[in-house]
Amino acid sequence: MDIPEINRYISRMLVQQPYGAPHIEYVDRVIINRYWESEEHIRPVWKLYWNKREGAVLTFQGKKVELLPDRFYLISPMTRYVPYCRENVEHFYIHFKLPREYGSPPQGIWEIPTGRFRYKQVSRTDSGFLLLEIICYSLGHLPTGLFDQDHPDPLGDLFLWLEEHLHENCRNSVLAGISGYTEDTLNRIFIRETGLSPQKYVQGLRVTRAANLLKRTSLTIEEIAEQCGFFDRSHFHRVFQKKIGLSPVRFRKVMGEL
């Protein structure tokens, strides 16, 4: 692209009020296996996945998406999918949010060619720039006009509240007060938007957060139960065992052996 072409390109851009930068919430590189959370994932954040080798699958709208090493996988907020892993796989992910002016895109999982990005170690100083570059690169490969579509998110503010207050009282009466809906209306909207009742959704969030804390921190079982909103250790054990198939103690031991 020569200088005149660049000038014509820039002249078509809305530079008077440039959009804000993505806000990165979580970044990690982990080993996932058959214990990779099998609950349906629904989160109000963008996710970017990359796996070093094959072995993991996402089921979305009845179709299976194989996570291949020559692709990034960009997942829009509130997309409902189920992950599955056949074997141990090195999994890299970024969770991030975009400013409100980007609007609410439709649910979807988009495959992005990795292009010039190759697996390598980078310095701590450079890693932040590289993460933003990967995010912007992937967003730039989304279908044209995706952000021009209007997909209202009636639960967006409530999901943001839950991210910060998951350890507090999250009964339906409390959630209804936060959202401004009646309890009956809130229940209908939750089932329509997520396929789950409010309490099933909250429980899934708590188990997911607990699993992450078990894997990545040295907090005691009691501390994790409290931080994730469970009544006590016994309640935490019972719910976690039912959802994951392992007790919290056993889950932590298995994760530590990988």
Side-chain angles (χ1 to χ4, degrees):
M1 183 181 293
D2 59 24
I3 292 177
E5 288 178 317
I6 292 174
N7 286 334
R8 286 195 296 272
Y9 180 77
I10 292 177
S11 69
R12 297 195 299 269
M13 295 175 62
L14 298 175
V15 296
Q16 294 86 354
Q17 294 180 328
Y19 285 7
H23 172 70
I24 298 175
E25 290 205 335
Y26 297 105
V27 179
D28 208 346
R29 188 180 65 192
V30 298
I31 301 298
I32 56 174
N33 61 7
R34 67 187 183 91
Y35 297 114
W36 195 24
E37 301 150 12
S38 58
E39 288 294 308
E40 187 171 54
H41 284 215
I42 313 170
R43 288 285 313 284
V45 296
W46 286 87
K47 300 177 184 178
L48 190 149
Y49 287 173
W50 177 74
N51 287 356
K52 192 175 181 180
R53 62 188 178 91
E54 299 178 24
V57 176
L58 305 180
T59 301
F60 170 63
Q61 295 182 346
K63 299 179 181 179
K64 291 186 177 181
V65 180
E66 296 270 354
L67 302 189
L68 304 176
D70 63 345
R71 294 285 189 274
F72 293 131
Y73 294 86
L74 195 57
I75 306 170
S76 59
M78 300 311 298
T79 295
R80 299 167 57 183
Y81 64 95
V82 177
Y84 171 71
C85 202
R86 298 190 298 269
E87 55 185 296
N88 291 353
V89 174
E90 188 171 342
H91 175 66
F92 170 76
Y93 69 87
I94 308 172
H95 291 182
F96 65 95
K97 292 181 179 178
L98 294 177
R100 286 185 178 272
E101 54 261 37
Y102 281 86
S104 300
Q107 293 186 20
I109 299 177
W110 289 274
E111 298 185 22
I112 312 294
T114 56
R116 61 187 177 82
F117 293 101
R118 294 291 180 266
Y119 180 81
K120 64 178 181 178
Q121 297 289 340
V122 296
S123 71
R124 184 166 185 164
T125 304
D126 295 334
S127 62
F129 294 114
L130 178 60
L131 293 175
L132 286 173
E133 186 178 359
I134 290 173
I135 290 172
C136 293
Y137 166 86
S138 299
L139 289 171
H141 281 73
L142 290 175
T144 302
L146 183 74
F147 290 102
D148 297 332
Q149 302 178 31
D150 184 22
H151 295 269
D153 184 0
L155 297 175
D157 290 337
L158 182 57
F159 289 135
L160 294 176
W161 183 87
L162 282 171
E163 291 290 310
E164 299 295 330
H165 302 272
L166 195 58
H167 60 288
E168 299 179 11
N169 179 357
C170 294
R171 292 191 180 94
N172 282 1
S173 58
V174 174
L175 300 182
I178 297 295
S179 66
Y181 301 119
T182 66
E183 290 188 44
D184 286 344
T185 300
L186 178 69
N187 191 64
R188 285 198 302 272
I189 294 175
F190 249 96
I191 292 174
R192 184 188 72 204
E193 296 294 316
T194 71
L196 301 169
S197 69
Q199 292 310 304
K200 286 290 186 181
Y201 180 84
V202 169
Q203 190 178 83
L205 283 183
R206 285 173 167 163
V207 169
T208 298
R209 180 171 295 181
N212 288 330
L213 291 175
L214 287 167
K215 286 186 286 187
R216 299 183 179 86
T217 75
S218 58
L219 293 172
T220 67
I221 300 299
E222 290 78 9
E223 288 171 331
I224 293 174
E226 181 179 356
Q227 287 194 19
C228 295
F230 296 100
F231 296 128
D232 52 30
R233 179 181 179 129
S234 176
H235 180 227
F236 175 35
H237 176 103
R238 186 169 64 255
V239 173
F240 195 89
Q241 174 88 39
K242 183 177 180 180
K243 291 283 187 180
I244 301 298
L246 297 170
S247 70
V249 172
R250 177 60 180 162
F251 179 84
R252 172 173 269 173
K253 185 175 187 300
V254 170
M255 293 297 104
E257 292 172 351
L258 295 178

